[in-house]
């Protein structure tokens, strides 16, 4: 079967598409051409800034070149552009210095796997942080015992080893052991309560202090805008500077539209434990417990396809989880109304009746990372007691970080591998996650840990060239508020692509070898938080050599999804707006790589004019 078009005229971005272009797209597909765009990323409001002679932006060209109604994922990951914090095109930097060698006489670390080296590492990180240009904390060959986490909360500090087969960070204790009271048996439920199930790392890069100060709201959007537009009309452009990054925040006004909010739940002592027991997740504030009740016309309803997907109850989508980062290209006035032009196509619908606001962007820390190391544990975590019992053997965590990275790592015997939350444009590349013994128990369903990779709120994450050699409950997770993020060129023993509810949308899983292929779309998340994914998530060339036919998920998985798979079976869910086709070898094996290359080609062509 060819690239069969199985989506109605409404595209992923929600823009109306005329019947004739849609039929033309189908004709091209039947003729064997690469799948063209159905127009999702084009401006429908006439306010977009043209970037090509034909009047189409590069974003819209990339979004539709191979996948009808797709998105532009080419900006995902770490791209350094001078002091700007997102959306560039350069590779992860490899600064040569200054070097702060933890084994230097000043620091005194000994890589024998027995001598605690916490003081040496802390001092080297402190000195690198104090350097005007930042610096490289160098870990030479050896095994270095650490009994406390490594914590980097400044920009341009890199922890670098001599290679994962030569330099090892050996952690002697879990986070639960280090931070007393963070892992315990809950008095209400009798179950283990751990704060480390999806957060925290023994190597942490955190801009939390900066991000938690909040972002200043600069303007209110005063006119509706469509996906694909590049102009927003505001009540004021005061304080908005051309060339700077800002964020668009979209939040529901629960009184308009949709009536008053559902009543708050009573403050019961064991309410959180009861919710956890019911939904298999961690409660975060009061929830309605009702599914699909987002008011028509609300932000949450739009994220979940305006009725084509379960939109959950109040709290399904967190405050400020629906956000969009961009750089300002121009500000001005038109017919007396202030406006600003964006450097990229909007992916969201914007309505003036929402709390649609433009806020400054605080990147937290930037240009810090960890590379060329093994991360493992001296005192083995032991057998895995099961879901949500994790003691905090988590390897690497990013929180409040932008344009940071983890690359060329081996992570051995973790509860979780790489975690990222409230961050943007984070790259994890060339990561191997493995175990030296079988941790599974009857309570763990054959799983060795919780998350191999977990992406929380944020835009433009890139997880690429990974190898997950044992099963986790959740191998590749995109959860609440994850946007335009990519899992690319990876493989694993038995991969599950976990869309974890709470409004992730428009993410891409591409060129992934599922391994055994017994649970490709197995996903979790609190059941009152909507469908597993919001609109626009795509699966391109996801395959298995062991079990070639990939079974599509149930129709309640999410609205307006795209599947381009070599071999597949299952319901194509036309009522939910799905697009399902067959990937062929004439198409790019990796959609992200193809889009990034095409963006570079178009930029070079334009520069030569």
């Amino acid at each position: 079967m060819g690239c069969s078009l199985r989506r109605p005229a409404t595209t992923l971005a929600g823009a109306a598409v005329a019947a004739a272009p849609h039929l033309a797209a189908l004709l091209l597909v039947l003729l064997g051409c690469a799948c063209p765009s159905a127009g999702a990323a084009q401006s429908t409001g006439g306010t977009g800034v043209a970037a090509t002679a034909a009047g189409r932006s590069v974003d819209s060209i990339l979004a539709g070149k191979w996948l009808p109604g797709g998105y532009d994922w080419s900006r995902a990951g770490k791209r350094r552009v001078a002091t700007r914090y997102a959306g560039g095109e350069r590779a992860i930097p490899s600064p040569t210095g200054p070097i702060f060698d933890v084994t230097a006489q000043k620091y005194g670390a000994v890589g024998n796997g027995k001598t605690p080296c916490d003081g040496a590492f802390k001092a080297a990180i402190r000195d690198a942080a104090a350097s005007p240009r930042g610096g490289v904390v160098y870990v030479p060959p050896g095994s270095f015992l650490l009994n406390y986490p490594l914590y980097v909360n400044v920009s341009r500090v890199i922890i670098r080893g001599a290679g994962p087969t030569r330099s090892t960070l050996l952690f002697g204790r879990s986070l639960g052991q280090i931070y007393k009271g963070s892992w315990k048996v809950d008095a209400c439920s009798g179950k283990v309560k751990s704060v480390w199930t999806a957060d925290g790392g023994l190597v942490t890069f955190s801009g939390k202090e900066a991000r938690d100060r909040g972002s200043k709201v600069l303007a209110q959007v005063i006119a509706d805008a469509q996906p694909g537009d590049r102009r927003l009309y505001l009540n004021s452009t005061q304080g908005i500077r051309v060339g700077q990054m800002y964020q668009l925040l979209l939040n529901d006004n629960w009184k308009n539209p949709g009536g008053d909010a559902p009543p708050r739940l009573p403050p019961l002592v064991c309410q959180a434990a009861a919710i956890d027991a019911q939904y298999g997740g961690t409660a975060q504030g009061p929830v309605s417990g009702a599914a699909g009740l987002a008011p028509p016309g609300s932000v949450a309803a739009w994220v979940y396809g305006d009725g084509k997907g379960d939109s959950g109850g109040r709290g399904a989508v967190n405050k400020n989880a629906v956000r969009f980062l961009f750089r300002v290209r121009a500000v001005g006035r038109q017919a007396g109304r202030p406006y600003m032009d964006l450097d990229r196509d909007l992916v969201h619908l914007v309505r003036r009746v929402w709390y649609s606001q433009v806020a400054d962007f605080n990147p937290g820390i930037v240009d810090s990372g960890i590379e060329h190391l093994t991360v493992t544990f001296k005192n083995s975590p032991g057998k895995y007691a099961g879901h949500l019992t994790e003691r905090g053997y988590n390897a690497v965590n990013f929180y409040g970080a932008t344009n940071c990275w983890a690359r060329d790592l081996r992570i051995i015997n973790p509860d979780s591998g790489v975690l990222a939350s409230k961050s943007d444009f984070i790259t994890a590349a060339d990561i191997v996650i493995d175990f030296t013994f079988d941790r599974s128990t009857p309570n763990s369903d054959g799983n060795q840990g919780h998350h191999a990779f977990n992406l929380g709120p944020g835009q433009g994450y890139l997880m690429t060239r990974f190898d997950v050699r044992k099963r986790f409950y959740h191998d590749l997770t995109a959860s609440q508020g994850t946007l335009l993020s990519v899992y690319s060129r990876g493989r694993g023993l038995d991969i599950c692509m976990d869309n974890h509810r709470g409004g992730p949308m428009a993410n891409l899983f591409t060129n992934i070898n599922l391994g055994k292929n017994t649970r490709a779309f197995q996903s979790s998340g609190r059941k009152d938080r909507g469908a597993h994914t919001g609109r626009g998530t795509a699966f391109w060339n996801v395959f298995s050599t062991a079990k070639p036919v990939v079974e599509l998920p149930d129709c309640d998985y999410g609205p307006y999804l795209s599947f381009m798979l070599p071999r597949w079976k299952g319901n194509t869910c036309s009522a939910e707006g799905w697009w399902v086709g067959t990937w062929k070898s004439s198409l790019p094996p990796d959609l992200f790589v193809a889009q990034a290359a095409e963006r570079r080609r178009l930029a070079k062509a334009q520069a030569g004019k």
Side-chain angles (χ1 to χ4, degrees):
M1 185 170 74
C3 178
S4 59
L5 193 60
R6 296 181 182 269
R7 171 171 292 156
T10 302
T11 68
L12 287 177
V17 180
H22 197 73
L23 291 174
L26 178 57
L27 179 60
L28 287 171
V29 170
L30 294 175
L31 290 174
C33 300
C35 296
S37 173
Q42 298 180 44
S43 170
T44 61
T47 60
V49 178
T52 66
R56 295 180 65 196
S57 69
V58 171
D59 292 12
S60 69
I61 292 171
L62 296 177
K65 184 175 178 65
W66 294 283
L67 186 67
Y71 290 86
D72 172 19
W73 288 285
S74 67
R75 288 188 173 97
K78 169 74 176 71
R79 300 289 189 272
R80 186 175 186 177
V81 182
T83 58
R84 298 173 181 175
Y85 302 115
E89 285 298 320
R90 302 177 198 172
I92 296 172
S94 296
T96 57
I99 300 293
F100 301 87
D101 187 331
V102 297
T103 62
Q105 184 176 2
K106 179 179 180 180
Y107 305 120
V110 178
N112 60 10
K114 299 177 182 179
T115 304
C117 300
D118 300 277
F121 275 78
K122 183 177 180 180
I125 291 172
R126 181 193 61 222
D127 288 351
S131 171
R133 294 188 292 129
V136 175
V137 177
Y138 179 62
V139 184
S143 181
F144 296 84
L145 176 62
L146 298 163
N147 289 316
Y148 294 91
L150 298 183
Y151 187 75
V152 176
N153 64 350
V154 294
S155 298
R156 293 175 291 279
V157 172
I158 300 163
I159 301 173
R160 177 185 294 163
T165 62
R166 303 179 69 197
S167 301
T168 296
L169 302 181
L170 179 63
F171 287 95
R173 299 193 295 169
S174 70
L175 292 166
Q177 292 171 318
I178 295 167
Y179 298 102
K180 301 302 181 183
S182 63
W183 186 95
K184 60 184 179 180
V185 177
D186 184 76
C188 296
S189 66
K191 295 183 178 181
V192 168
K193 299 294 292 185
S194 172
V195 304
W196 311 115
T197 59
D199 197 7
L202 286 160
V203 181
T204 287
F205 295 87
S206 176
K208 183 178 188 298
E209 293 85 351
R211 286 237 182 174
D212 283 358
R213 288 196 291 267
S215 297
K216 181 181 178 181
V217 174
L218 302 174
Q220 185 79 27
V221 179
I222 61 172
D224 293 355
Q226 298 291 326
D229 285 354
R230 288 199 172 194
R231 176 164 292 176
L232 291 175
Y233 289 95
L234 310 174
N235 64 345
S236 172
T237 56
Q238 184 175 356
I240 295 175
R241 294 183 293 170
V242 172
Q244 294 301 305
M245 293 294 297
Y246 295 92
Q247 52 184 336
L248 174 66
L249 306 176
L250 302 176
N251 290 291
D252 279 325
N253 180 343
W254 278 82
K255 293 185 178 181
N256 180 23
D260 291 336
R264 296 174 65 91
L265 294 176
L268 301 177
V269 174
C270 293
Q271 178 177 303
I275 293 172
D276 285 352
Q278 180 178 358
Y279 295 117
T282 302
Q284 297 182 7
V287 295
S288 69
L293 294 183
S298 65
V299 174
W302 184 83
V303 166
Y304 281 112
D306 290 320
K308 291 188 178 294
D310 174 10
S311 57
R314 185 183 185 185
V317 177
N318 287 347
K319 181 180 179 182
N320 295 338
V322 183
R323 62 191 279 273
F324 182 63
L325 294 178
F326 59 91
R327 185 170 289 115
V328 173
R329 292 187 58 177
V331 295
R333 299 181 73 89
Q334 185 177 54
R337 296 188 300 175
Y339 70 82
M340 68 176 180
D341 288 336
L342 284 56
D343 72 329
R344 62 200 68 189
D345 292 0
L346 281 172
V347 299
H348 300 94
L349 178 70
V350 180
R351 300 186 66 205
R352 62 184 182 276
V353 296
W354 297 340
Y355 292 124
S356 302
Q357 299 170 316
V358 175
D360 58 14
F361 172 54
N362 186 338
I365 64 169
V366 300
D367 293 343
S368 292
I370 179 171
E371 56 193 26
H372 314 317
L373 284 158
T374 285
V375 180
T376 189
F377 313 99
K378 179 179 181 180
N379 300 314
S380 167
K383 290 290 188 178
Y384 184 35
H387 197 218
L388 305 181
T389 66
E390 294 78 20
R391 293 180 179 269
Y393 290 97
N394 301 340
V396 181
N397 180 50
F398 297 93
Y399 183 97
T402 303
N403 277 355
C404 294
W405 69 90
R407 64 174 169 180
D408 189 27
L409 301 181
R410 287 196 316 168
I411 300 173
I412 307 298
N413 299 331
D415 283 332
S416 291
V418 178
L419 309 172
S421 180
K422 293 188 177 180
S423 298
D424 301 289
F425 304 103
I426 302 297
T427 297
D430 301 302
I431 310 294
V432 175
I433 304 178
D434 203 356
F435 293 81
T436 57
F437 68 102
D438 183 8
R439 290 189 72 201
S440 66
T441 65
N443 291 330
S444 72
D445 299 322
N447 299 302
Q448 309 289 323
H450 195 197
H451 289 278
F453 297 88
N454 183 36
L455 307 181
Q459 181 174 323
Y461 296 112
L462 172 62
M463 308 289 111
T464 186
R465 301 190 303 271
F466 52 83
D467 187 355
V468 183
R469 295 182 176 176
K470 297 292 189 296
R471 279 178 43 144
F472 287 76
Y473 269 101
H474 318 293
D475 292 318
L476 313 179
T477 294
S479 65
Q480 46 183 311
T482 305
L483 175 71
L484 294 176
S485 296
V486 176
Y487 284 102
S488 162
R489 289 186 284 179
R491 63 184 181 182
L493 176 68
D494 191 11
I495 290 289
C496 66
M497 299 172 289
D498 169 41
N499 286 279
H500 213 74
R501 308 185 193 266
M505 62 167 282
N507 298 304
L508 174 65
F509 297 78
T510 179
N511 194 14
I512 296 171
N513 187 338
L514 299 171
K516 293 182 178 180
N517 185 24
T518 68
R519 52 179 197 145
F521 297 97
Q522 179 178 298
S523 296
S524 188
R526 234 175 55 201
K527 294 181 181 178
D528 67 323
R529 305 206 69 178
H532 287 292
T533 178
R535 61 172 67 217
T537 292
F539 305 87
W540 176 279
N541 189 26
V542 174
F543 63 94
S544 169
T545 54
K547 184 182 176 184
V549 179
V550 177
E551 186 168 356
L552 299 178
D554 293 337
C555 293
D556 61 1
Y557 197 76
Y560 295 120
L561 308 183
S562 296
F563 302 85
M564 181 68 78
L565 309 176
R567 296 180 66 182
W568 55 269
K569 67 178 181 179
N571 194 331
T572 56
C573 305
S574 59
E576 285 72 27
W578 289 12
W579 194 97
V580 181
T582 300
W583 181 88
K584 292 186 175 182
S585 59
S586 58
L587 295 170
D590 191 296
L591 186 58
F592 165 74
V593 172
Q595 285 189 341
E598 183 69 0
R599 176 174 286 280
R600 291 191 294 270
R601 187 191 71 79
L602 291 171
K604 185 176 181 180
Q606 286 185 324
K609 290 183 179 179

